[in-house]
C-alpha cells in the first residue's frame, strides 16, 4: 500500500497506450493553485512505479507561461484547459532503472485554482493521472524510500544542517529552483517536494511538503516560512536555507545532457 500523506496531492497514473496502471504521482501545486495569474512553476511532482523494464522514479516540474500568440497578461479566465510545458528527469542510483530526461506537456481539463481531478500527459510519456482524494493507493507496493543519489540529469546537492542535527540528505533540482529532497532526520526517513509561488521578477514564497504517512517523517513548511538563496560568495554551487530550516546545500554535481525548452528557460527563482 502506498500512502502519500496529507500534504501533497496523490494521483494514480495509467498508460494512455494500453490503459495499464504504471505508478503513483505525488504533486505539490504552486502557482497553478495559489497564483494562477502569474507565469512560473505550476506544480512539481515525484513519480514512481514498476514497469516491465523495471522500477523507476522521476522528478518533474510544469510551468504556466503567457501565450506567445496573445500579448495580453494572463488571468484566471484565460487559463481554462490550458496546456502546460513540463519536463522531468529520471532518478537513478538506488536500484531504479535509469530513465532519461523527459519532455512533456500537460493538458489540464479543470480551471485553476482547483486541484485537478485529472491530468493528461503527452510527449515522452503518454499518461492519464486520476486524483486519489485520500492519498492511499491500496494495490501498489511502494519502492524502498531510501534515496542517496538522484542521477546525472539533476542538479544534485548534499545537505548540511547548520544546527548540528544528525542526519543526511540530498536535494535535486531541474531548471526552476524547485527541488526533491530525501534523507534521514531525527532517525526518520523523509521524502519531500519543495517549490515556490510568486512572480519570477518579484518576491517569492517557498514551501515544502513531505510525501509520507505512518512511520515516515510527515511535515509541512507553509508558504513563506523558509527562504532559499544562492550563497553570496559561492554563487549557485551553494544554497543557504533559512527560516524554519537552517541548512546549507552544496552542489555535488550539475545536471548534464539537456537544456530546458526556450519558452520556460527564464522561469527560475529570483537570485
Amino acid at each position: 500500500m502506498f500512502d502519500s500523506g496529507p500534504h501533497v496531492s496523490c494521483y494514480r497514473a495509467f498508460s494512455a497506450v494500453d490503459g495499464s496502471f504504471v505508478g503513483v504521482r505525488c504533486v505539490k501545486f504552486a502557482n497553478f493553485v495559489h497564483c494562477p495569474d502569474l507565469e512560473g512553476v505550476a506544480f512539481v511532482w515525484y513519480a514512481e512505479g514498476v514497469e516491465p523494464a523495471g522500477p523507476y522514479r522521476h522528478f518533474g516540474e510544469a510551468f504556466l507561461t503567457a501565450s506567445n500568440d496573445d500579448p495580453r497578461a494572463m488571468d484566471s479566465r484565460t487559463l481554462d484547459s490550458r496546456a502546460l510545458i513540463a519536463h522531468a528527469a529520471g532518478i537513478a542510483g538506488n536500484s531504479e532503472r535509469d530513465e532519461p530526461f523527459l519532455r512533456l506537456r500537460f493538458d489540464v481539463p479543470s480551471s485553476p485554482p482547483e486541484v485537478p481531478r485529472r491530468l493528461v500527459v503527452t510527449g515522452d510519456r503518454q499518461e492519464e493521472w486520476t486524483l486519489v482524494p485520500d492519498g492511499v493507493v491500496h494495490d501498489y507496493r511502494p519502492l524502498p524510500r531510501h534515496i542517496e543519489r538522484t542521477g546525472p540529469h539533476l542538479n544534485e546537492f548534499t545537505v548540511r544542517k547548520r544546527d548540528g542535527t544528525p542526519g543526511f540528505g540530498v536535494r535535486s533540482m531541474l531548471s526552476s529552483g524547485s527541488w526533491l529532497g530525501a534523507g534521514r532526520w531525527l532517525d526518520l526517513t523523509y521524502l519531500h517536494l519543495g517549490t515556490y509561488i510568486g512572480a519570477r521578477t518579484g518576491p517569492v514564497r517557498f514551501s515544502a511538503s513531505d510525501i509520507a504517512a505512518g512511520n515516515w517523517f510527515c511535515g509541512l513548511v507553509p508558504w513563506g516560512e523558509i527562504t532559499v538563496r544562492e550563497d553570496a560568495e559561492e554563487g549557485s554551487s551553494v544554497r543557504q536555507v533559512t527560516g524554519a530550516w537552517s541548512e546549507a546545500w552544496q552542489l555535488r554535481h550539475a545536471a548534464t545532457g539537456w537544456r530546458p525548452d526556450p519558452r520556460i528557460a527564464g522561469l527560475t527563482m529570483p537570485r
Side-chain angles (χ1 to χ4, degrees), residues 2 22 34 37 47 81 102 112 114 140 151 160 200-201 242 269:
F2 181 90
V22 294
H34 301 282
D37 57 332
S81 302
L102 304 169
E114 298 175 9
Y140 172 70
R160 176 177 60 84
R200 64 189 177 94
T201 56
T242 56
M269 71 176 185

Side-chain angles (χ1 to χ4, degrees), residues 2-259:
F2 181 90
D3 190 342
S4 71
H7 304 308
V8 296
S9 297
C10 180
Y11 291 81
R12 292 169 58 94
F14 298 90
S15 167
V17 177
D18 61 12
S20 61
F21 172 69
V22 294
V24 296
R25 310 291 184 256
C26 296
V27 178
K28 182 172 177 62
F29 286 96
N31 278 8
F32 186 88
V33 166
H34 301 282
C35 302
D37 57 332
L38 297 178
E39 285 189 294
V41 181
F43 56 83
V44 296
W45 77 92
Y46 165 77
E48 68 167 62
V50 179
E51 294 178 322
Y56 70 89
R57 290 184 171 104
H58 66 247
F59 169 60
E61 51 194 3
F63 297 86
L64 287 166
T65 62
S67 170
N68 292 333
D69 300 322
D70 188 347
R72 297 173 301 171
M74 287 194 308
D75 61 50
S76 59
R77 293 168 297 177
T78 66
L79 291 172
D80 292 3
S81 302
R82 190 172 182 84
L84 307 178
I85 299 168
H87 53 220
I91 296 168
N94 315 276
S95 300
E96 315 91 345
R97 75 168 191 250
D98 186 9
E99 190 171 45
F101 181 78
L102 304 169
R103 297 190 182 275
L104 305 167
R105 164 184 162 134
F106 282 82
D107 290 301
V108 187
S110 60
S111 303
E114 298 175 9
V115 171
R117 298 190 64 83
R118 185 169 68 94
L119 293 165
V120 178
V121 188
T122 55
D124 290 335
R125 287 186 72 96
Q126 311 277 320
E127 298 177 346
E128 183 169 323
W129 302 0
T130 58
L131 183 67
V132 181
D134 64 359
V136 179
V137 181
H138 292 279
D139 56 347
Y140 172 70
R141 181 178 179 180
L143 302 184
R145 185 57 59 96
H146 188 70
I147 298 175
E148 289 191 8
R149 298 277 180 173
T150 54
H153 304 302
L154 292 145
N155 297 303
E156 186 175 298
F157 295 78
T158 57
V159 179
R160 176 177 60 84
K161 291 189 174 294
R162 290 197 295 264
D163 63 2
T165 303
F168 68 89
V170 294
R171 306 287 183 264
S172 294
M173 297 179 181
L174 288 165
S175 66
S176 75
S178 303
W179 71 92
L180 176 73
R184 288 184 66 82
W185 183 69
L186 297 179
D187 295 324
L188 291 173
T189 301
Y190 67 83
L191 180 67
H192 70 245
L193 291 165
T195 189
Y196 54 90
I197 56 175
R200 64 189 177 94
T201 56
V204 298
R205 290 183 291 158
F206 287 89
S207 171
S209 297
D210 281 298
I211 302 168
N215 294 327
W216 310 109
F217 189 79
C218 189
L220 168 70
V221 180
W223 298 106
E225 294 195 6
I226 53 174
T227 60
V228 181
R229 294 190 178 94
E230 291 185 358
D231 186 88
E233 296 182 358
E234 300 291 337
S236 61
S237 65
V238 176
R239 304 291 171 94
Q240 300 293 344
V241 184
T242 56
W245 295 350
S246 179
E247 298 179 344
W249 303 352
Q250 175 70 52
L251 184 67
R252 178 185 277 168
H253 65 75
T256 59
W258 63 273
R259 292 182 180 179

